[in-house]
Amino acid sequence: MIERYDFGLIVVKGRRYSSDVLIFPDRVKDGWWRREGHAVHVEDLEEVVAEKPEVLVIGTGYYGLVKVPDEVKRYLAEKGIELIAQPTKEACSTFNKLLGEGRKVIAALHLTC
């Protein structure tokens, strides 16, 4: 569960992270790097897709500046993965809610911008 999010900082299971993260049901990958800082591309999500989640929650940043192109939306749909893209504060709440419902959910979160 995500315990706290503020601009540039997230706390997951008591551990603080200050760079973008991928949150899997069993682990957190710190330092999620994308080909293009404020856009998500298919290759940025290879590790996520390999886990076969039901839902991917993308946190688009504090101000929602990260874009998810239609190509990525189509790719995830073809893989049977529901996409929810929201500003990161809302994405954290959505992730916690879905996790609490027992859904297989992964979060990809941009912590700034």
Side-chain angles (χ1 to χ4, degrees):
M1 292 291 261
I2 298 168
E3 297 162 18
R4 180 174 153 219
Y5 167 71
D6 288 310
F7 186 93
L9 173 71
I10 194 165
V11 179
V12 182
K13 295 182 182 177
R15 184 159 177 214
R16 298 166 58 98
Y17 300 91
S18 58
S19 61
D20 295 353
V21 293
L22 295 174
I23 304 176
F24 298 90
D26 60 343
R27 70 189 186 287
V28 176
K29 181 177 180 180
D30 194 11
W32 176 45
W33 193 254
R34 289 165 310 288
R35 180 179 91 186
E36 186 181 341
H38 288 110
V40 177
H41 295 278
V42 169
E43 62 264 30
D44 301 327
L45 300 173
E46 289 175 356
E47 190 173 357
V48 169
V49 171
E51 293 282 324
K52 299 182 178 164
E54 294 174 50
V55 184
L56 171 60
V57 178
I58 295 180
T60 59
Y62 193 84
Y63 301 108
L65 297 181
V66 172
K67 303 301 176 210
V68 182
D70 289 339
E71 170 192 352
V72 172
K73 294 174 185 177
R74 282 190 299 273
Y75 175 76
L76 292 171
E78 289 169 5
K79 297 290 185 183
I81 300 170
E82 179 185 348
L83 170 66
I84 299 172
Q86 303 172 304
T88 301
K89 185 175 184 93
E90 289 85 1
C92 290
S93 295
T94 298
F95 175 82
N96 283 345
K97 178 180 179 284
L98 293 171
L99 194 65
E101 292 172 355
R103 304 280 304 273
K104 186 174 182 185
V105 60
I106 295 175
L109 305 175
H110 180 61
L111 302 185
T112 60
C113 308

